[in-house]
Coordinates of all heavy atoms in Angstrom, one line a residue:
M1051 N 0.9 -1.2 0.0 CA 0.0 -0.1 0.0 C 0.9 1.2 0.0 O 1.0 2.0 -1.0 CB -0.9 0.0 1.2 CG -2.0 1.0 1.2 SD -3.2 0.8 2.6 CE -2.2 1.8 3.9
M1052 N 1.6 1.5 1.1 CA 2.5 2.6 1.2 C 3.9 2.1 1.4 O 4.4 1.8 2.5 CB 2.1 3.5 2.4 CG 0.8 4.1 2.3 SD 1.0 5.9 1.6 CE 1.7 6.7 3.0
P1053 N 4.7 1.9 0.4 CA 5.9 1.2 0.4 C 6.9 1.9 1.3 O 7.9 1.3 1.8 CB 6.4 1.1 -1.1 CG 5.7 2.1 -1.8 CD 4.3 2.3 -1.1
F1054 N 6.9 3.3 1.4 CA 7.9 4.0 2.2 C 7.3 4.4 3.5 O 7.9 5.3 4.2 CB 8.4 5.1 1.4 CG 9.1 4.7 0.2 CD1 8.7 5.0 -1.1 CD2 10.3 4.0 0.2 CE1 9.3 4.6 -2.2 CE2 10.9 3.5 -0.9 CZ 10.5 3.9 -2.1
H1055 N 6.2 3.8 3.9 CA 5.7 4.2 5.2 C 6.4 3.5 6.3 O 6.6 2.3 6.2 CB 4.1 3.9 5.3 CG 3.6 4.3 6.6 ND1 3.4 3.3 7.5 CD2 3.2 5.5 7.2 CE1 2.9 3.9 8.7 NE2 2.7 5.2 8.4
R1056 N 6.8 4.2 7.4 CA 7.4 3.6 8.4 C 6.8 4.1 9.8 O 6.2 5.3 9.7 CB 8.9 3.9 8.6 CG 9.8 3.3 7.4 CD 9.8 1.9 7.6 NE 10.8 1.3 6.6 CZ 10.5 1.2 5.2 NH1 9.3 1.4 4.8 NH2 11.3 0.7 4.4
T1057 N 6.6 3.3 10.8 CA 6.1 3.8 12.0 C 7.2 4.5 12.8 O 8.3 4.3 12.5 CB 5.6 2.6 12.9 OG1 6.6 1.8 13.2 CG2 4.5 1.8 12.2
C1058 N 6.9 5.2 13.8 CA 7.8 5.9 14.6 C 8.8 4.9 15.2 O 10.0 5.1 15.3 CB 7.2 6.7 15.7 SG 6.3 8.1 15.1
K1059 N 8.3 3.7 15.6 CA 9.2 2.7 16.2 C 10.2 2.2 15.2 O 11.5 2.0 15.5 CB 8.4 1.6 16.7 CG 9.0 0.7 17.7 CD 8.0 -0.4 18.1 CE 8.8 -1.5 18.8 NZ 8.0 -2.7 19.1
E1060 N 9.8 2.1 14.0 CA 10.7 1.7 12.9 C 11.7 2.7 12.6 O 12.9 2.4 12.4 CB 9.9 1.2 11.6 CG 9.1 -0.1 11.8 CD 8.2 -0.2 10.7 OE1 7.6 0.8 10.1 OE2 7.8 -1.4 10.4
V1061 N 11.2 3.9 12.6 CA 12.1 5.1 12.2 C 13.2 5.2 13.4 O 14.5 5.4 13.0 CB 11.3 6.3 12.0 CG1 12.2 7.5 12.1 CG2 10.6 6.3 10.8
T1062 N 12.8 5.1 14.6 CA 13.9 5.3 15.6 C 14.9 4.1 15.6 O 16.1 4.3 15.7 CB 13.2 5.2 17.0 OG1 12.4 4.2 17.1 CG2 12.5 6.5 17.3
A1063 N 14.4 2.9 15.1 CA 15.3 1.8 14.9 C 16.4 2.1 13.8 O 17.5 1.8 13.9 CB 14.6 0.5 14.7
L1064 N 15.7 2.7 12.7 CA 16.6 3.1 11.6 C 17.7 4.1 11.9 O 18.8 4.0 11.5 CB 15.7 3.6 10.4 CG 14.9 2.5 9.7 CD1 14.0 3.2 8.5 CD2 15.8 1.5 9.0
V1065 N 17.2 5.1 12.7 CA 18.1 6.2 13.1 C 19.3 5.6 13.9 O 20.4 6.0 13.7 CB 17.3 7.2 13.9 CG1 18.4 8.2 14.5 CG2 16.4 8.1 13.1
I1066 N 19.0 4.6 14.7 CA 20.0 4.0 15.5 C 21.0 3.1 14.7 O 22.1 3.1 14.6 CB 19.4 3.2 16.7 CG1 18.8 4.2 17.7 CG2 20.5 2.4 17.4 CD1 18.0 3.5 18.7
A1067 N 20.3 2.4 13.7 CA 21.0 1.5 12.8 C 22.0 2.3 11.9 O 23.0 1.8 11.6 CB 20.0 0.6 12.0
R1068 N 21.5 3.5 11.6 CA 22.3 4.3 10.6 C 23.7 4.7 11.4 O 24.6 5.1 10.6 CB 21.5 5.5 10.4 CG 22.0 6.3 9.3 CD 21.1 7.6 8.9 NE 21.0 8.4 10.1 CZ 20.3 9.4 10.3 NH1 19.6 9.9 9.2 NH2 20.2 10.1 11.3
E1069 N 23.8 4.7 12.7 CA 25.0 4.9 13.3 C 26.1 3.8 13.1 O 27.3 4.1 13.1 CB 24.8 5.1 14.8 CG 23.8 6.2 15.2 CD 24.4 7.6 14.7 OE1 25.4 8.1 15.2 OE2 23.8 8.2 13.9
D1070 N 25.6 2.7 12.9 CA 26.5 1.5 12.7 C 26.8 1.1 11.1 O 27.9 0.7 10.9 CB 25.8 0.2 13.3 CG 25.8 0.4 14.8 OD1 26.7 1.1 15.4 OD2 24.9 -0.2 15.5
H1071 N 25.8 1.3 10.3 CA 26.1 1.1 8.9 C 25.2 1.9 8.0 O 24.2 2.5 8.5 CB 25.8 -0.5 8.8 CG 24.4 -0.9 9.1 ND1 23.3 -0.9 8.3 CD2 23.9 -1.4 10.2 CE1 22.2 -1.2 8.8 NE2 22.5 -1.7 10.1
V1072 N 25.7 1.9 6.7 CA 24.9 2.7 5.7 C 23.6 2.0 5.4 O 23.6 0.8 5.2 CB 25.7 2.9 4.5 CG1 25.0 3.6 3.5 CG2 27.0 3.6 4.8
L1073 N 22.5 2.8 5.5 CA 21.2 2.2 5.1 C 21.0 2.1 3.7 O 21.5 2.9 2.8 CB 20.1 3.1 5.8 CG 20.0 3.2 7.3 CD1 18.9 4.2 7.6 CD2 19.9 1.9 7.9
P1074 N 20.2 1.1 3.3 CA 19.8 1.0 1.8 C 19.0 2.3 1.5 O 18.4 2.9 2.4 CB 18.9 -0.2 1.8 CG 18.9 -0.9 3.1 CD 19.7 0.0 4.0
W1075 N 19.0 2.7 0.2 CA 18.4 3.9 -0.2 C 16.9 3.9 0.1 O 16.3 5.0 0.5 CB 18.6 4.2 -1.7 CG 17.9 3.2 -2.6 CD1 18.3 2.1 -3.1 CD2 16.5 3.3 -3.1 NE1 17.3 1.4 -3.9 CE2 16.2 2.2 -3.9 CE3 15.5 4.3 -2.9 CZ2 15.0 2.0 -4.5 CZ3 14.3 4.1 -3.5 CH2 14.0 3.0 -4.3
R1076 N 16.2 2.8 0.1 CA 14.8 2.7 0.4 C 14.6 3.1 1.9 O 13.7 3.9 2.2 CB 14.2 1.3 0.2 CG 13.7 1.1 -1.1 CD 12.9 -0.2 -1.2 NE 13.4 -1.0 -2.3 CZ 14.3 -1.9 -2.3 NH1 14.9 -2.2 -1.2 NH2 14.6 -2.6 -3.4
D1077 N 15.5 2.6 2.8 CA 15.2 3.0 4.2 C 15.6 4.5 4.4 O 15.0 5.1 5.1 CB 16.2 2.2 5.0 CG 15.7 0.8 5.3 OD1 14.4 0.6 5.0 OD2 16.5 -0.1 5.6
R1078 N 16.6 5.0 3.6 CA 16.9 6.4 3.8 C 15.8 7.3 3.3 O 15.5 8.4 3.9 CB 18.2 6.7 3.1 CG 19.4 6.2 3.6 CD 20.7 6.9 3.1 NE 20.8 6.9 1.7 CZ 21.6 6.1 0.9 NH1 22.4 5.3 1.5 NH2 21.6 6.1 -0.4
L1079 N 15.2 6.9 2.2 CA 14.0 7.6 1.7 C 12.9 7.6 2.6 O 12.3 8.6 2.9 CB 13.8 7.1 0.3 CG 12.5 7.8 -0.4 CD1 12.9 9.3 -0.6 CD2 12.2 7.2 -1.7
A1080 N 12.6 6.5 3.2 CA 11.5 6.3 4.1 C 11.8 7.2 5.3 O 10.9 7.8 5.9 CB 11.3 4.8 4.4
L1081 N 13.0 7.2 5.7 CA 13.4 8.0 6.9 C 13.1 9.5 6.7 O 12.5 10.1 7.5 CB 14.9 7.7 7.2 CG 15.4 8.0 8.6 CD1 14.9 7.0 9.5 CD2 16.9 7.8 8.6
R1082 N 13.5 9.9 5.5 CA 13.3 11.3 5.2 C 11.9 11.6 5.1 O 11.5 12.7 5.5 CB 14.1 11.6 3.9 CG 14.4 13.0 3.5 CD 15.7 13.3 3.2 NE 16.4 12.5 2.3 CZ 16.7 12.9 1.0 NH1 16.4 14.0 0.6 NH2 17.3 12.1 0.2
L1083 N 11.1 10.8 4.4 CA 9.6 11.1 4.3 C 9.0 11.1 5.6 O 8.2 12.0 6.0 CB 9.0 10.0 3.4 CG 9.4 10.0 1.9 CD1 8.8 8.8 1.2 CD2 8.9 11.3 1.3
H1084 N 9.4 10.2 6.6 CA 8.8 10.2 7.9 C 9.1 11.4 8.7 O 8.3 12.0 9.4 CB 9.2 8.9 8.6 CG 8.6 8.8 10.0 ND1 7.4 8.1 10.1 CD2 8.9 9.3 11.1 CE1 7.0 8.2 11.4 NE2 7.9 8.9 12.0
M1085 N 10.4 11.9 8.5 CA 10.8 13.0 9.2 C 10.1 14.2 8.9 O 9.9 15.2 9.6 CB 12.4 13.2 9.0 CG 13.2 12.2 9.6 SD 13.1 12.2 11.4 CE 14.2 10.9 11.7
A1086 N 9.6 14.2 7.6 CA 8.9 15.4 7.0 C 7.4 15.5 7.6 O 6.8 16.6 7.7 CB 8.8 15.3 5.5
I1087 N 6.9 14.4 8.0 CA 5.5 14.4 8.5 C 5.4 14.2 10.0 O 4.2 14.2 10.6 CB 4.6 13.3 7.8 CG1 5.3 12.0 8.0 CG2 4.6 13.6 6.3 CD1 4.2 10.8 7.9
C1088 N 6.5 13.8 10.7 CA 6.3 13.4 12.1 C 7.0 14.5 13.0 O 7.9 15.2 12.6 CB 7.2 12.1 12.3 SG 7.0 11.6 14.1
A1089 N 6.4 14.8 14.1 CA 6.9 15.8 15.1 C 7.8 15.3 16.0 O 8.8 16.0 16.4 CB 5.7 16.4 15.9
A1090 N 7.7 14.0 16.4 CA 8.6 13.4 17.4 C 10.0 12.9 16.9 O 11.0 13.2 17.6 CB 7.8 12.3 18.1
C1091 N 9.9 12.2 15.7 CA 11.2 11.6 15.4 C 12.3 12.5 15.0 O 13.4 12.3 15.2 CB 10.9 10.7 14.2 SG 10.0 9.2 14.7
P1092 N 12.0 13.8 14.4 CA 13.2 14.6 14.2 C 13.9 15.1 15.5 O 15.1 15.2 15.5 CB 12.6 15.9 13.5 CG 11.3 15.2 12.8 CD 10.8 14.2 13.7
T1093 N 13.1 15.2 16.6 CA 13.7 15.5 17.8 C 14.5 14.4 18.3 O 15.7 14.6 18.7 CB 12.6 15.7 18.9 OG1 11.6 16.7 18.3 CG2 13.1 16.2 20.2
F1094 N 14.1 13.2 18.0 CA 14.9 12.0 18.5 C 16.2 11.9 17.7 O 17.3 11.7 18.2 CB 14.1 10.8 18.3 CG 14.9 9.5 18.6 CD1 15.2 9.1 19.8 CD2 15.4 8.7 17.5 CE1 15.9 7.9 20.0 CE2 16.0 7.6 17.6 CZ 16.4 7.2 18.9
E1095 N 16.0 12.2 16.4 CA 17.2 12.2 15.5 C 18.2 13.2 15.9 O 19.4 12.9 15.8 CB 16.8 12.4 14.0 CG 17.9 12.4 13.1 CD 17.5 12.7 11.6 OE1 16.6 13.7 11.5 OE2 18.1 12.2 10.7
R1096 N 17.7 14.4 16.3 CA 18.7 15.4 16.6 C 19.4 15.0 18.0 O 20.7 15.3 18.0 CB 17.9 16.7 17.0 CG 18.7 18.0 16.9 CD 17.9 19.2 16.5 NE 16.6 19.4 17.2 CZ 15.5 19.5 16.6 NH1 15.4 19.6 15.3 NH2 14.4 19.5 17.4
Q1097 N 18.7 14.4 18.8 CA 19.5 13.9 20.1 C 20.5 12.8 19.7 O 21.6 12.8 20.3 CB 18.4 13.2 21.0 CG 17.6 14.2 21.7 CD 16.4 13.6 22.5 OE1 16.3 12.3 22.4 NE2 15.7 14.4 23.2
V1098 N 20.2 11.9 18.8 CA 21.2 10.9 18.3 C 22.4 11.6 17.7 O 23.5 11.2 18.0 CB 20.5 9.8 17.4 CG1 21.6 9.0 16.7 CG2 19.5 9.1 18.1
L1099 N 22.1 12.6 16.9 CA 23.3 13.3 16.1 C 24.1 14.0 17.2 O 25.3 14.1 17.0 CB 22.6 14.3 15.1 CG 22.0 13.6 14.0 CD1 21.4 14.7 13.0 CD2 22.9 12.7 13.2
T1100 N 23.5 14.7 18.2 CA 24.2 15.4 19.2 C 25.1 14.5 20.0 O 26.2 14.7 20.3 CB 23.3 16.1 20.2 OG1 22.4 16.9 19.4 CG2 24.0 16.8 21.2
M1101 N 24.5 13.2 20.2 CA 25.2 12.2 20.9 C 26.5 11.7 20.1 O 27.6 11.5 20.6 CB 24.3 11.1 21.3 CG 24.8 10.0 22.3 SD 23.7 10.1 23.7 CE 22.3 9.3 23.1
R1102 N 26.2 11.5 18.8 CA 27.2 11.0 17.9 C 28.4 12.1 17.8 O 29.6 11.7 17.9 CB 26.7 10.8 16.5 CG 27.6 10.4 15.6 CD 27.5 10.9 14.1 NE 26.4 10.2 13.5 CZ 25.9 10.7 12.3 NH1 26.4 11.7 11.8 NH2 24.9 10.0 11.7
N1103 N 28.1 13.3 17.8 CA 29.0 14.3 17.7 C 30.0 14.3 19.1 O 31.1 14.4 19.0 CB 28.4 15.7 17.6 CG 28.0 15.9 16.1 OD1 28.4 15.1 15.2 ND2 27.1 16.7 16.0
A1104 N 29.2 14.2 20.1 CA 29.9 14.1 21.5 C 30.9 12.9 21.5 O 31.9 13.2 22.0 CB 29.0 14.1 22.5
M1105 N 30.3 11.8 21.0 CA 31.3 10.6 21.0 C 32.5 10.9 20.1 O 33.6 10.4 20.5 CB 30.4 9.4 20.5 CG 29.4 8.9 21.5 SD 30.1 8.5 23.2 CE 31.0 7.0 22.8
R1106 N 32.2 11.5 18.9 CA 33.3 11.6 18.0 C 34.4 12.6 18.6 O 35.6 12.4 18.5 CB 32.8 12.3 16.8 CG 33.7 12.5 15.6 CD 33.2 12.9 14.4 NE 32.2 12.1 13.8 CZ 31.2 12.4 13.0 NH1 31.2 13.8 12.6 NH2 30.4 11.7 12.5
Q1107 N 33.9 13.6 19.3 CA 34.9 14.5 20.0 C 35.6 13.8 21.1 O 36.8 14.0 21.3 CB 34.1 15.7 20.6 CG 33.7 16.8 19.6 CD 32.8 17.9 20.2 OE1 32.6 17.8 21.4 NE2 32.4 18.7 19.3
W1108 N 34.9 12.9 21.8 CA 35.5 12.1 22.8 C 36.7 11.3 22.2 O 37.8 11.3 22.7 CB 34.5 11.3 23.6 CG 35.2 10.5 24.6 CD1 35.7 9.2 24.4 CD2 35.4 10.7 25.9 NE1 36.1 8.7 25.6 CE2 36.0 9.6 26.5 CE3 35.2 11.9 26.7 CZ2 36.3 9.6 27.9 CZ3 35.5 11.9 28.0 CH2 36.1 10.7 28.6
R1109 N 36.4 10.6 21.1 CA 37.4 9.8 20.5 C 38.6 10.6 20.0 O 39.6 10.1 20.1 CB 36.8 9.0 19.3 CG 36.0 7.8 19.8 CD 35.7 6.9 18.6 NE 34.3 6.3 18.8 CZ 33.2 6.6 18.0 NH1 33.4 7.6 17.1 NH2 32.1 6.0 18.4
S1110 N 38.4 11.8 19.5 CA 39.4 12.6 19.0 C 40.3 13.0 20.2 O 41.5 13.2 20.0 CB 39.0 13.8 18.2 OG 38.3 14.7 19.0
Y1111 N 39.7 13.2 21.4 CA 40.4 13.7 22.5 C 41.3 12.5 23.0 O 42.4 12.8 23.5 CB 39.5 14.0 23.7 CG 38.8 15.3 23.6 CD1 37.5 15.5 23.9 CD2 39.5 16.4 23.2 CE1 36.8 16.7 23.8 CE2 38.9 17.7 23.1 CZ 37.6 17.8 23.4 OH 36.9 18.9 23.3
E1112 N 41.0 11.4 22.7 CA 41.8 10.2 23.2 C 43.2 10.3 22.6 O 44.1 9.7 23.2 CB 41.1 8.9 22.8 CG 40.0 8.5 23.8 CD 39.4 7.1 23.4 OE1 39.7 6.6 22.3 OE2 38.7 6.6 24.3
G1113 N 43.3 10.9 21.4 CA 44.6 10.9 20.7 C 45.5 12.0 21.4 O 46.7 12.1 21.0
L1114 N 45.0 12.9 22.1 CA 45.7 14.0 22.7 C 46.5 13.7 23.9 O 46.1 12.7 24.7 CB 44.8 15.1 23.0 CG 44.0 15.7 21.7 CD1 43.0 16.8 22.2 CD2 45.0 16.2 20.8
E1115 N 47.5 14.5 24.2 CA 48.3 14.2 25.4 C 47.5 14.6 26.6 O 47.5 13.8 27.6 CB 49.6 15.0 25.3 CG 50.6 14.6 24.3 CD 51.6 13.6 24.9 OE1 52.1 13.9 26.0 OE2 51.9 12.6 24.2
T1116 N 46.9 15.7 26.7 CA 46.1 16.2 27.8 C 44.6 16.1 27.5 O 44.2 16.8 26.7 CB 46.5 17.6 28.3 OG1 46.6 18.4 27.0 CG2 47.9 17.6 28.8
P1117 N 43.9 15.3 28.2 CA 42.5 15.2 28.0 C 41.8 16.4 28.6 O 42.4 17.1 29.4 CB 42.1 13.9 28.8 CG 43.2 13.7 29.9 CD 44.5 14.2 29.2
P1118 N 40.6 16.7 28.1 CA 39.9 17.8 28.7 C 39.5 17.6 30.1 O 39.4 16.5 30.6 CB 38.6 17.9 27.8 CG 38.5 16.4 27.3 CD 39.9 15.9 27.1
G1119 N 39.3 18.7 30.9 CA 39.0 18.7 32.3 C 37.6 18.1 32.6 O 37.5 17.7 33.8
N1120 N 36.7 18.0 31.7 CA 35.4 17.5 32.1 C 35.3 16.0 31.9 O 34.3 15.5 31.4 CB 34.4 18.2 31.3 CG 34.6 18.0 29.7 OD1 35.6 17.5 29.3 ND2 33.7 18.4 28.9
A1121 N 36.3 15.3 32.4 CA 36.3 13.8 32.3 C 35.6 13.1 33.5 O 36.0 12.1 33.8 CB 37.7 13.4 32.0
D1122 N 34.6 13.8 34.1 CA 34.0 13.2 35.3 C 33.1 12.1 34.9 O 32.7 11.3 35.7 CB 33.3 14.3 36.1 CG 32.2 15.0 35.1 OD1 32.4 15.1 34.0 OD2 31.3 15.5 35.8
K1123 N 32.7 12.1 33.6 CA 31.8 10.9 33.1 C 32.3 10.3 32.0 O 32.0 10.5 30.8 CB 30.4 11.6 32.8 CG 29.4 11.5 34.0 CD 28.0 11.5 33.4 CE 27.0 11.2 34.6 NZ 25.7 11.1 34.1
P1124 N 33.2 9.3 32.2 CA 33.8 8.6 31.2 C 32.7 7.6 30.5 O 31.8 7.2 31.2 CB 34.9 7.6 31.8 CG 34.5 7.6 33.2 CD 33.8 8.9 33.5
P1125 N 33.0 7.2 29.2 CA 31.8 6.5 28.5 C 31.6 5.1 29.1 O 30.5 4.5 28.9 CB 32.4 6.5 27.1 CG 33.7 6.7 27.1 CD 34.0 7.5 28.4
N1126 N 32.6 4.5 29.7 CA 32.4 3.1 30.3 C 32.4 3.3 31.8 O 33.3 3.0 32.4 CB 33.5 2.3 29.8 CG 33.4 2.1 28.2 OD1 32.4 1.8 27.8 ND2 34.6 2.2 27.6
Ligands
LIG1356 ZN1 7.8 9.5 13.9

């Protein structure tokens, strides 16, 4: 019926899966379409992207001699 329709549950799963591997174009398109019509999922996506950026910064810090001072909450 609606080949690119995804529920919010499926979309959140896709957003998380996208962090690990590249999604097929069908999933990417479905994701984009859902983001255009949904109020909740773009907010969730933004949180995931913020988290990803924070993790990336953390990883780049690992290569430095002096870590940043805000290391009160290590990832593990
Ligand atoms: Zn949604």
Side-chain angles (χ1 to χ4, degrees):
M1051 191 175 85
M1052 291 267 287
F1054 296 113
H1055 177 262
R1056 295 290 185 282
T1057 64
C1058 288
K1059 201 178 165 189
E1060 288 166 332
V1061 165
T1062 50
L1064 284 176
V1065 168
I1066 292 169
R1068 196 179 53 180
E1069 297 299 297
D1070 290 332
H1071 55 87
V1072 176
L1073 297 178
W1075 69 267
R1076 265 191 232 96
D1077 283 342
R1078 289 200 305 256
L1079 181 58
L1081 204 66
R1082 196 124 49 106
L1083 290 174
H1084 184 92
M1085 291 299 176
I1087 58 155
C1088 184
C1091 289
T1093 306
F1094 174 76
E1095 184 187 32
R1096 201 152 47 232
Q1097 285 170 354
V1098 169
L1099 292 179
T1100 303
M1101 197 113 74
R1102 181 215 284 173
N1103 287 338
M1105 290 304 286
R1106 190 178 294 159
Q1107 282 174 3
W1108 177 269
R1109 277 192 218 112
S1110 68
Y1111 282 139
E1112 280 182 347
L1114 298 177
E1115 288 270 318
T1116 46
N1120 58 351
D1122 56 335
K1123 267 203 166 185
N1126 292 315

